[in-house]
Amino acid sequence: MEKVLILDYGSQYTQLIARRIRELNVYSEIQPFNYDFKKIADFKPSAIILSGGPASVLTPGAPGLDLRLLELKVPVLGICYGLQLLAHLLGGKVTPSSKREYGRAEFKVQGESLLFQGMKPNSIAWMSHGDSLEKVPQGFDCIGVSDNTPFCAVEDRDRKIYGVQFHPEVVHTEEGTQILQNFLFKIAQLKPEWNMAAFLQTEKERIRQVVGKGKVICGLSGGVDSGVAALIIHEAIGDQLECIFVDNGLLRKNEALQVQETFRNHYKIKLHFVDASERFLNRLKGVSDPEQKRKIIGNEFIAVFEDMAKKIDGAQFLAQGTLYPDVIESVSFKGPSATIKSHHNVGGLPEKMGLKLLEPLRELFKDEVRILGEEMGMSRLLTHRQPFPGPGLAIRILGEVNAEALRMLREADDILISEIKAADWYYQVWQSFAVLLPVKTVGVMGDERTYENVLAIRAVKSLDGMTADWVALPHDLLGRISNRIINEVKGINRVVYDISSKPPATIEWE
């Protein structure tokens, strides 16, 4: 399989580079800038991309590059810092800019280059740099300029080394996709062969080889990641997989029944159901602080899961729905001294229980996981399910979590989601949910005074959950939701709509 290696210099856009390349059906992988050269050679990349980054090549100790990479004789594309680093190391001259260029700028193609074939002569590109290239290295030609950057794009055609001062991976760069296509298919001459059908067959075979005759246990939540992970493992090894589903009492209405129906009855996966709702609610009694809620729920889940896992004889592997962004975040790209963040979904359980990790989705982004699920025949309702937090409804009840609060929120949430689906809005938003507030207000029902709870509705649009904007749901839809909740859910007499964006607010209230 042809592969693109991306060396990360700390850019906030590095993951975008990988995603854009995969969207073009070419496999890409991110590694830190100081990744061992032997490992790079063993990886056998078909092309290499150097990302942008916040450093200056003029600063002592700035992230560098092992020039033996150029001896691999594969095409290289430097983006922003990557361009400056190549030029600096190959004999060019980089200097601090008199005017920093940030944001949109007009980019003008000069001459003819395969990198810009099929592009408009002038287009908008996204800039983010404080230094500029003042003199190109020997063998390089200028192939593009902007108003403030005389060497905005360069190439050494003979050695297939290219550099751009802007970010082709971001949507703000008008011709960004065309540039990446040209680099992959015209310069590196790669074939668009990376797709989920091919990944599915390869990964199932890998799982069989790794697991052999061993047994795998998997914590199943019913969410997209754990569901797809469980299904691909089950397709590979059948009943050697046993899943554990923990009902913590904080799930949505009928969710525990739906998960069992889907995975045990429909997909015929061995599923152990643990009703630990009373145990969780007892531990949460009197707790209002959101962080304390999260810690209690997380610790209790690990304890319940471990208790159940010990009852499954012969387990050798623990399967997790770890995704590629989790893997990327667990690797230090800022140098060997930086703190490494663990990405394990259940903390130190694998080591504690003497199990080996099995992570079939660790090479995939979220959108690829959804496509993989569809490839295996999963319904859109499962593959495109809106995100649901690990602590469940506990962080959508502001204040203490108790049975009465859970009843009100479950009923209200069920009405909200059913109306959102009926109005064909469910797949148009990133997340839609209800929050029970620790506030009571006066109302009137049947000529009688009421003093009951307030419910907030939240609906946001987002690409990745990092930023989000509130969604302007139609007024008639909001009216129906409010009317039904107030009339059908005992204990709620007022509904409000949250019109906050992230930042400054967060998506969840707690």
Side-chain angles (χ1 to χ4, degrees), residues 179-190:
I179 293 168
L180 293 174
Q181 283 179 326
N182 289 342
F183 178 70
L184 297 174
F185 305 129
K186 295 186 183 300
I187 294 168
Q189 297 187 325
L190 305 183

Side-chain angles (χ1 to χ4, degrees), residues 122-343:
N122 295 5
S123 62
I124 298 299
W126 186 262
M127 302 284 189
S128 178
H129 65 103
D131 295 341
S132 289
L133 182 58
E134 188 175 289
K135 176 188 171 187
V136 298
Q138 187 174 353
F140 280 78
D141 295 308
C142 176
I143 54 173
V145 300
S146 74
D147 289 341
N148 295 317
T149 309
F151 299 107
C152 196
V154 299
E155 72 173 6
D156 181 331
R157 191 171 301 185
D158 293 338
R159 289 196 286 174
K160 294 186 177 179
I161 303 174
Y162 295 80
V164 291
Q165 188 57 76
F166 53 87
H167 290 273
E169 68 273 23
V170 303
V171 294
H172 310 298
T173 298
E174 288 180 344
E175 302 272 16
T177 300
Q178 183 67 54
I179 293 168
L180 293 174
Q181 283 179 326
N182 289 342
F183 178 70
L184 297 174
F185 305 129
K186 295 186 183 300
I187 294 168
Q189 297 187 325
L190 305 183
K191 299 180 183 69
E193 297 175 334
W194 165 257
N195 58 58
M196 287 303 101
F199 172 85
L200 178 60
Q201 298 311 314
T202 304
E203 186 59 21
K204 284 199 290 190
E205 184 55 39
R206 187 191 75 84
I207 291 168
R208 292 187 194 105
Q209 290 178 359
V210 168
V211 174
K213 295 183 179 180
K215 187 176 287 186
V216 180
I217 56 175
C218 175
L220 189 63
S221 69
V224 179
D225 303 339
S226 68
V228 172
L231 193 53
I232 190 174
I233 295 169
H234 184 253
E235 286 196 4
I237 60 172
D239 283 351
Q240 289 171 252
L241 169 71
E242 297 192 29
C243 291
I244 300 171
F245 175 68
V246 178
D247 182 356
N248 58 12
L250 307 169
L251 303 176
R252 290 167 292 192
K253 188 175 181 179
N254 298 325
E255 192 164 14
L257 290 173
Q258 289 167 0
V259 170
Q260 292 178 80
E261 170 62 32
T262 299
F263 292 94
R264 179 187 284 155
N265 300 342
H266 181 72
Y267 291 117
K268 309 301 180 186
I269 292 175
K270 276 190 178 179
L271 180 64
H272 300 273
F273 173 69
V274 184
D275 184 356
S277 52
E278 192 173 333
R279 177 172 172 170
F280 277 82
L281 287 180
N282 285 337
R283 291 282 287 113
L284 289 167
K285 203 170 284 183
V287 178
S288 296
D289 180 74
E291 280 309 304
Q292 197 177 348
K293 286 183 195 176
R294 288 177 181 274
K295 286 177 183 175
I296 288 170
I297 294 164
N299 291 337
E300 203 63 22
F301 174 82
I302 290 173
V304 172
F305 186 89
E306 187 178 9
D307 288 347
M308 188 64 223
K310 287 175 181 175
K311 298 175 184 176
I312 300 175
D313 293 331
Q316 296 173 262
F317 295 87
L318 175 66
Q320 293 187 167
T322 306
L323 303 190
Y324 195 40
D326 303 323
V327 177
I328 294 169
E329 287 176 8
S330 73
V331 180
S332 166
F333 297 156
K334 311 299 181 189
S337 63
T339 302
I340 294 177
K341 174 186 172 184
S342 171
H343 66 268

Side-chain angles (χ1 to χ4, degrees), residues 374-410:
E374 291 173 344
E375 186 70 34
M376 292 188 291
M378 294 179 78
S379 71
R380 183 171 172 80
L381 197 60
L382 288 173
T383 59
H384 287 72
R385 192 181 92 148
Q386 292 180 6
F388 186 63
L393 298 180
I395 57 168
R396 293 178 179 173
I397 295 171
L398 274 55
E400 182 184 356
V401 179
N402 55 52
E404 177 60 11
L406 283 165
R407 179 197 64 79
M408 285 188 283
L409 183 56
R410 270 199 194 98

